[in-house]
Amino acid sequence: MPQASPAPRGRPRSDRIHRAILDATRDLLIENGFTRLRLEAVAARAGVGKATIYRRWPSKEALALDLLLELAAPHLSVDDTGHTRDELRAVVLNAIRGLTETSFGPVMRALMSQIAGNPAIGDPFRETVVAARREQVVQVIERGIDRGDLRPHTDPAVATELLVGPVYFRLVFGGRLDAAFAEQVVDAFLRGAAQPRMIR
């Protein structure tokens, strides 16, 4: 009875191609920005044909969005630690670290104007990444209220903007983005939202 052929080692070819295309898109976005991004250049950088890209993504907007969603995903979740201040700090630090320590930051800068003005990128980004971040903040706020740390009528939507908005303001207009800034943001938020015993 003939023996079965050994399973091929390593990542399947289609996965490698997918990864190569996303990596090439990331590099070219950072180097040239979105308006100068060309799928021909992505194909050449990835070592594939242009048709290979079109089989996976119908446009450069769809390709850029897929990359952005992938890069954003690891920086959205906040664990239940049992400590409201720590969780609020994690909300801010997740945004800071994603923007300053990973490729998400430079890709986000390259796509900022598209998110603001191009519905093909902006609408899905808001429906996924922004909605996921808001949901995480909702959970943090609800846990804080249940613990008696935050005022019962704290608005999670406004909380998201107060906690994460300053990070993106500094991304656009400049300023230090570090743990000390995260502490400042959390302290400012708690002065308005915390029960008296939570305020330092």
Side-chain angles (χ1 to χ4, degrees):
M1 181 176 180
Q3 293 182 340
S5 301
R9 296 181 179 180
R11 181 180 292 179
R13 184 170 182 270
S14 60
D15 289 349
R16 289 198 305 271
I17 290 172
H18 190 88
R19 179 77 269 147
I21 293 169
L22 288 177
D23 288 348
T25 304
R26 176 200 62 208
D27 294 345
L28 289 168
L29 276 172
I30 293 170
E31 292 169 18
N32 302 321
F34 181 80
T35 57
R36 296 176 61 191
L37 181 70
R38 298 291 180 268
L39 293 184
E40 294 89 344
V42 173
R45 181 74 63 96
V48 300
K50 188 176 175 182
T52 301
I53 297 177
Y54 276 116
R55 280 197 293 270
R56 291 165 169 79
W57 296 277
S59 64
K60 73 173 188 176
E61 285 84 0
L63 175 55
L65 176 66
D66 206 9
L67 172 67
L68 190 61
L69 299 184
E70 178 189 79
L71 294 173
H75 313 290
L76 297 175
S77 64
V78 176
D79 293 334
D80 181 351
T81 66
H83 300 281
T84 301
R85 177 183 287 276
D86 290 346
E87 293 175 20
L88 292 169
R89 187 187 301 114
V91 169
V92 184
L93 283 174
N94 282 357
I96 289 175
R97 288 170 179 159
L99 292 170
T100 62
E101 298 178 8
T102 76
S103 297
F104 178 64
V107 169
M108 187 70 187
R109 288 186 186 91
L111 292 174
M112 192 78 75
S113 64
Q114 298 298 315
I115 292 170
N118 185 341
I121 294 178
D123 289 350
F125 181 78
R126 284 183 283 273
E127 291 165 4
T128 52
V129 174
V130 176
R133 193 179 296 282
R134 285 188 186 279
E135 179 56 31
Q136 287 296 316
V137 176
V138 166
Q139 294 176 24
V140 170
I141 297 303
E142 288 178 347
R143 291 195 294 263
I145 292 171
D146 290 344
R147 294 176 190 131
D149 293 335
L150 301 179
R151 296 178 181 178
H153 300 297
T154 302
D155 186 329
V158 174
T160 305
E161 292 155 9
L162 292 173
L163 292 165
V164 182
V167 176
Y168 282 86
F169 183 93
R170 288 201 171 188
L171 175 72
V172 175
F173 297 107
R176 191 183 72 250
L177 284 171
D178 56 18
F181 178 62
E183 291 286 355
Q184 288 179 308
V185 171
V186 170
D187 286 345
F189 172 75
L190 286 174
R191 281 193 287 273
Q195 298 282 26
R197 68 181 182 82
M198 274 286 292
I199 302 175
R200 288 176 176 173

